[in-house]
Amino acid sequence: MSELNKIALQILSKGMGILAADESNATMTKRLESVNVHSNETNRLKFREALFSSISMKECIGGVILYDETIKQKTSSGKTIPELIKLNGSLIGIKVDTGAKVLAGSKEEKITEGLDGLRERLKEYYNLGARFTKWRGVYCISDKYPSKLSISANAHALARYAALVQDAGMVPIIEPEVLMDGDHSAEVCLNKTSEVIKRCYEELELNKVNLKGTLLKPNMILPGTKSKKKISSEEVAELTLECLKNSVPSEVPGIAFLSGGQSELEATANLNQINIKNKTNFIMTYSYGRALQQSALKFWSKDIKNIIGTQEVFDHRAKMCTLAAQGKWSTNLENPE
Ligand code: 13P
């Protein structure tokens, strides 16, 4: 087994998942302001330190994705954030793209940037303890989108990124996110997401990326947020599995979904059904940002000194997600008396 394959499996084994705590400062500011907390370096650190010191880091979270600011921060006890995460048994990941910018040539769409200087930044992150990385390509759905240009340009960037990351001794997470915005049906989401993912693997192959040392972070197959037709978790699971079975090469060891704006309960219920119905060899788990942190953030914002209480809320969510990653979750576990 190659070293990269070992890292990929270590992150996702036994129902473990990923905590995506890599919000850029701009995104984290939005999240904090939504609960009336001032966004500054100290507050961003305080909330994240609470999560990274929680019990579920050992029991549920196989890897944490960090943002550039966080990987260089020190905790209140003087340890660095990577030291704290390692101590709690989890692997360190880092977001290495520099964000989605307007795509020249199709100005309503986005292209993710960050390839310039990436080789040097990867060396620095490796030395800070990172063993896996993330790059997010983003696509929107409408009659004409995602365009061929956005599908091809983002796949190219994702593959160039992945090849550089493996050269630097780390596991690249390939994240092509097809957004939920719009009134499209789940079938349209299935077709467009399949096209996007297939194109990514064509480019990854061209760039000689070792797929056994990668992870995929896709969206689930859902109707658009403005669609009138809602579907059940069972249907979400069937469509999502159909998409992945037909577009992901079998060498890929694991798939860790993003939550993409689903509520915590939706993201948990859907992942649970995916695992109940999963007949593929892929590990199917979570790499959630909002669906792991939302309740904890709300709780923390009411009293930012209540670290234990915040950790209890986070631990519950992480435990529910880890059960869902094994198909063992049910609604009645959410509110035990
Ligand atoms: P969400 O789960 O909130 O979609 O975040 C996951 C992520 O890492 C987006 O890039």
Side-chain angles (χ1 to χ4, degrees):
M1 199 191 290
S2 75
E3 191 52 37
L4 294 181
N5 183 239
K6 243 192 260 170
I7 295 172
L9 290 173
Q10 188 185 340
I11 300 168
L12 306 188
S13 63
K14 300 184 206 106
M16 296 268 205
I18 299 172
L19 166 59
D22 61 320
E23 298 86 355
S24 64
N25 285 350
T27 304
M28 198 57 192
T29 297
K30 256 196 269 169
R31 304 263 190 274
L32 289 171
E33 283 177 354
S34 76
V35 291
N36 301 316
V37 175
H38 178 56
S39 176
N40 56 25
E41 212 181 318
T42 314
N43 283 345
R44 291 192 289 270
L45 174 65
K46 269 191 189 147
F47 176 65
R48 286 168 167 155
E49 187 181 338
L51 305 188
F52 304 161
S53 326
S54 66
I55 295 171
S56 51
M57 290 295 292
K58 277 210 173 76
E59 295 170 356
C60 306
I61 306 294
V64 183
I65 317 175
L66 300 173
Y67 182 60
D68 181 75
E69 174 183 271
T70 325
I71 201 170
K72 296 170 182 165
Q73 277 174 323
K74 274 202 173 139
T75 66
S76 42
S77 69
K79 279 192 212 62
T80 65
I81 286 283
E83 281 165 355
L84 171 67
I85 293 173
K86 242 192 263 170
L87 197 73
N88 285 328
S90 189
L91 287 176
I92 295 141
I94 179 80
K95 168 194 174 78
V96 300
D97 66 65
T98 54
K101 308 282 158 59
V102 171
L103 174 61
S106 181
K107 296 207 164 89
E108 289 176 335
E109 297 184 283
K110 299 273 176 67
I111 176 72
T112 301
E113 296 189 345
L115 289 172
D116 285 353
L118 179 58
R119 199 186 302 267
E120 290 70 32
R121 284 190 289 126
L122 292 174
K123 248 186 232 153
E124 185 192 2
Y125 289 139
Y126 186 95
N127 290 335
L128 288 167
R131 290 299 174 267
F132 72 103
T133 64
K134 178 188 116 169
W135 179 290
R136 171 175 175 259
V138 57
Y139 311 80
C140 53
I141 294 187
S142 74
D143 293 349
K144 42 185 186 166
Y145 300 137
S147 65
K148 294 268 173 243
L149 175 62
S150 121
I151 293 176
S152 144
N154 277 297
H156 175 79
L158 273 163
R160 293 267 327 275
Y161 140 82
L164 281 166
V165 169
Q166 289 196 331
D167 268 0
M170 295 182 279
V171 168
I173 295 185
I174 318 293
E175 182 181 9
E177 175 174 6
V178 180
L179 296 171
M180 287 164 68
D181 306 331
D183 58 5
H184 54 271
S185 64
E187 285 70 27
V188 169
C189 178
L190 169 67
N191 292 335
K192 308 258 183 185
T193 304
S194 303
E195 191 184 346
V196 161
I197 294 179
K198 280 183 188 157
R199 191 59 213 266
C200 285
Y201 284 107
E202 281 169 26
E203 288 288 333
L204 287 160
E205 194 185 332
L206 206 62
N207 282 270
K208 306 270 184 297
V209 172
N210 165 16
L211 295 183
K212 288 197 164 110
T214 64
L215 294 170
L216 177 67
K217 174 162 173 164
N219 49 286
M220 293 180 190
I221 304 301
L222 299 160
T225 42
K226 292 208 186 92
S227 164
K228 292 207 176 71
K229 194 170 170 244
K230 301 294 166 217
I231 64 172
S232 66
S233 285
E234 285 83 352
E235 289 168 298
V236 171
E238 276 158 23
L239 294 171
T240 303
L241 287 164
E242 181 184 336
C243 170
L244 298 171
K245 207 171 55 195
N246 296 327
S247 33
V248 184
S250 56
E251 298 96 298
V252 174
I255 294 172
F257 295 96
L258 58 94
S259 60
Q262 299 176 71
S263 71
E264 291 177 340
L265 283 187
E266 280 165 346
T268 312
N270 290 339
L271 178 63
N272 189 55
Q273 278 303 323
I274 289 172
N275 277 290
I276 288 173
K277 292 182 190 294
N278 182 17
K279 296 207 169 62
T280 69
N281 289 324
F282 300 125
I283 296 172
M284 302 265 187
T285 186
Y286 57 92
S287 174
Y288 293 163
R290 283 161 287 180
L292 270 175
Q293 299 180 63
Q294 228 154 37
S295 295
L297 182 62
K298 228 188 215 165
F299 185 95
W300 178 76
S301 70
K302 301 213 171 85
D303 174 7
I304 66 171
K305 293 209 176 71
N306 190 349
I307 302 301
I308 306 269
T310 304
Q311 289 174 333
E312 276 170 15
V313 176
F314 176 69
D315 285 338
H316 171 74
R317 201 67 255 137
K319 195 168 156 198
M320 294 297 107
C321 288
T322 278
L323 287 170
Q326 302 163 84
K328 292 180 181 164
W329 173 85
S330 70
T331 333
N332 54 20
L333 296 170
E334 288 290 343
N335 297 306
E337 289 308 319

